[in-house]
Amino acid sequence: MITAGIDLGWKHTRVVLLEDGNKILVKKYIPTTFKLEEDAERLYNDALNDVGIKATDVNYIVATGAGRYRLKFRNANVTELTAGALGAKFLFPNTRTVIDIGTTQTRVMKIDDKGKVIKFMTNDRCAAGAGAFLERVALYTQVNLPDLGNIALQSKNPVTISTVCSVLAETEIINLLTLNTPLEDILMGAVNSIVGRVMPLIRVVGIQPEITLIGGTVLNPALIKSLSNNLKASINATIDTFYAGAIGAAFLGYKRLMKVKGG
């Protein structure tokens, strides 16, 4: 039994194919463009070709992410909260807290032993766009975004940057650049600023191990380190948790099929 999860996010589009609800056959991603539906379909077909599967062999397709309603060939769609929680639980069965620092929104979830969300918080408008904030920081500092985290890890004296408002934080960064502040200290300060905005959400939801970080920021080692230091706890963050939303969507498809079959 093969199910597909397609996560149409603001920054990335991801596809995962799952066999019998427990084996990941393939996972792929591309940057999201304005051709959302075309890109998703092309990526899906590429994933099928990679493992030699025909479209007719896929039993169920679940879409998630901001663009989930635009995927015409889906069987169902599910919110980012539900998909992310199920994906985190799939990858790390003992997960009870899920943190998703996305491009336009940050979510903190507490989940039960079945991966159901029992409490969650999202950021307000002023603090929105954690991932987008790092993109602008990379632009201002002329650093490639994939390199930002590794450069930030070299910091010895991270600067303090506003954790209240992203607009103020960006102004502070520009001022620091004019003062010839070491680049690594600015970048680590920016990462700490994002984590500072996440912490109030975590305090409201409450933290319970295991903690799993999902989404694009799992590719930023400095953010993982800062978050772990603030929480004084280890964090599950791997390349697979980058695909947690798509994995959770595919797993939900499997659960629905099993329910129909009476399994």
Side-chain angles (χ1 to χ4, degrees), residues 132-202:
F133 171 66
L134 281 184
E135 289 182 15
R136 293 192 291 272
V137 170
L139 178 64
Y140 298 149
T141 57
Q142 298 183 353
V143 170
N144 290 326
L145 186 61
D147 299 328
L148 189 151
N150 286 321
I151 296 174
L153 285 177
Q154 300 171 24
S155 174
K156 302 299 182 184
N157 298 292
V159 296
T160 300
I161 297 174
S162 172
T163 61
V164 176
C165 175
S166 59
V167 175
L168 291 176
E170 289 175 36
T171 302
E172 291 175 32
I173 288 169
I174 293 171
N175 289 338
L176 289 166
L177 287 170
T178 63
L179 295 172
N180 293 319
T181 306
L183 176 62
E184 60 270 22
D185 292 341
I186 294 175
L187 297 181
M188 196 67 214
V191 168
N192 288 339
S193 174
I194 286 179
V195 173
R197 291 180 227 167
V198 177
M199 292 305 294
L201 305 181
I202 294 173

Side-chain angles (χ1 to χ4, degrees), residues 184-255:
E184 60 270 22
D185 292 341
I186 294 175
L187 297 181
M188 196 67 214
V191 168
N192 288 339
S193 174
I194 286 179
V195 173
R197 291 180 227 167
V198 177
M199 292 305 294
L201 305 181
I202 294 173
R203 284 191 284 270
V204 172
V205 173
I207 204 74
Q208 182 178 348
E210 291 180 13
I211 306 163
T212 300
L213 178 68
I214 67 174
T217 50
V218 304
L219 305 178
N220 187 320
L223 188 142
I224 296 170
K225 179 181 178 181
S226 179
L227 190 59
S228 180
N229 288 344
N230 274 271
L231 293 175
K232 296 179 174 57
S234 61
I235 296 173
N236 301 321
T238 68
I239 188 60
D240 281 343
T241 62
F242 174 77
Y243 292 92
I247 292 171
F251 183 67
L252 180 66
Y254 172 76
K255 287 178 63 178

Side-chain angles (χ1 to χ4, degrees), residues 87-109:
K89 179 73 168 54
F90 179 94
L91 294 168
F92 294 95
N94 293 324
T95 296
R96 292 298 178 271
T97 304
V98 182
I99 302 172
D100 181 4
I101 304 174
T103 301
T104 61
Q105 192 174 50
T106 295
R107 308 174 186 88
V108 177
M109 300 168 265

Side-chain angles (χ1 to χ4, degrees), residues 43-162:
L43 184 65
Y44 174 63
N45 288 330
D46 286 347
L48 293 175
N49 291 333
D50 283 355
V51 289
I53 292 175
K54 297 178 182 179
T56 52
D57 294 328
V58 178
N59 302 96
Y60 208 81
I61 301 170
V62 179
T64 188
R68 60 187 180 275
Y69 297 112
R70 293 175 58 180
L71 193 72
K72 295 176 182 175
F73 58 91
R74 72 186 190 277
N75 295 107
N77 54 259
V78 64
T79 68
E80 297 96 319
L81 286 167
T82 298
L86 285 172
K89 179 73 168 54
F90 179 94
L91 294 168
F92 294 95
N94 293 324
T95 296
R96 292 298 178 271
T97 304
V98 182
I99 302 172
D100 181 4
I101 304 174
T103 301
T104 61
Q105 192 174 50
T106 295
R107 308 174 186 88
V108 177
M109 300 168 265
K110 183 182 290 184
I111 66 175
D112 63 17
D113 59 355
K114 292 182 174 57
K116 181 180 178 181
V117 178
I118 54 178
K119 188 174 183 179
F120 74 93
M121 284 289 295
T122 60
N123 57 348
D124 57 33
R125 289 185 178 182
C126 184
F133 171 66
L134 281 184
E135 289 182 15
R136 293 192 291 272
V137 170
L139 178 64
Y140 298 149
T141 57
Q142 298 183 353
V143 170
N144 290 326
L145 186 61
D147 299 328
L148 189 151
N150 286 321
I151 296 174
L153 285 177
Q154 300 171 24
S155 174
K156 302 299 182 184
N157 298 292
V159 296
T160 300
I161 297 174
S162 172

